[in-house]
Every structure is written in C-alpha cells, then in structure tokens.
C-alpha cells in the first residue's frame, strides 16, 4: 500500500517561500515544489537525530547519578 502525503502550501510558504508558486488565476491557487522539500527535510532529520543523541547521553548520565545517590542513601541508612 502506497501512502500519499500532502502539505498546505501556506505552511510551506512561511518557511520556504521559494518552493511555493502562486498562480495568476482568480483563486490565487498555490502549488508546492515537493522535490525542493527533500533536502531540507533530510537536514532537519539529521539535526533532530543529533538532539536525540544528546538527550539520550544526558539521560544516561542522570540515571547513573541517581543510582549513585541511591547507593549513598543506602550507605547512610546502614551507618
């Protein structure tokens, strides 16, 4: 099953106005250059992946710190 995705030209126009064409008809119909969206979407996914990796590393560090604090609490309880 092949999926089809659509975007609102007005939404794209706010970020990438060069990818939206507005016709001269009475409705001022807009169309999107979908091919032009590929590169920015790939770059955005790369940036998101970098952010995810940073947050995962921070989470690991925090988990380790929590475990160390629990260990210290248990040590204090036994003394």
């Amino acid at each position: 099953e092949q999926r089809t995705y659509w975007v609102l030209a007005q939404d794209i126009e706010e970020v990438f106005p060069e990818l939206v064409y507005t016709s001269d008809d009475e409705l001022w119909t807009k169309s999107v250059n979908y091919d032009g969206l590929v590169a920015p979407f790939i770059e955005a996914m790369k940036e998101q992946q970098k952010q995810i990796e940073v947050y995962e590393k921070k989470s690991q560090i925090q988990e380790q710190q929590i475990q160390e604090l629990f260990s210290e609490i248990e040590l204090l309880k036994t003394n």
Side-chain angles (χ1 to χ4, degrees):
E1 179 182 327
Q2 183 178 2
R3 292 184 177 186
T4 302
Y5 297 96
W6 299 94
V7 295
L8 290 176
Q10 290 84 349
D11 291 342
I12 299 301
E13 192 172 36
E14 290 177 15
V15 183
F16 301 108
E18 68 277 10
L19 298 179
V20 176
Y21 170 77
T22 304
S23 70
D24 293 334
D25 64 11
E26 65 275 357
L27 298 176
W28 296 87
T29 306
K30 294 182 180 288
S31 59
V32 176
N33 171 2
Y34 284 92
D35 291 341
L37 291 174
V38 174
F41 281 177
I42 290 171
E43 290 305 312
M45 289 189 318
K46 287 180 186 178
E47 184 59 36
Q48 282 185 333
Q49 186 59 40
K50 287 179 188 176
Q51 291 175 354
I52 289 168
E53 290 169 4
V54 166
Y55 290 130
E56 284 176 343
K57 183 66 177 170
K58 285 181 179 181
S59 177
Q60 291 171 354
I61 291 169
Q62 290 173 342
E63 182 64 33
Q64 181 181 2
Q65 291 171 334
I66 289 169
Q67 291 303 320
E68 289 171 1
L69 288 171
F70 277 130
S71 295
E72 288 181 33
I73 289 171
E74 288 302 315
L75 183 63
L76 288 171
K77 284 181 177 179
T78 59
N79 289 336

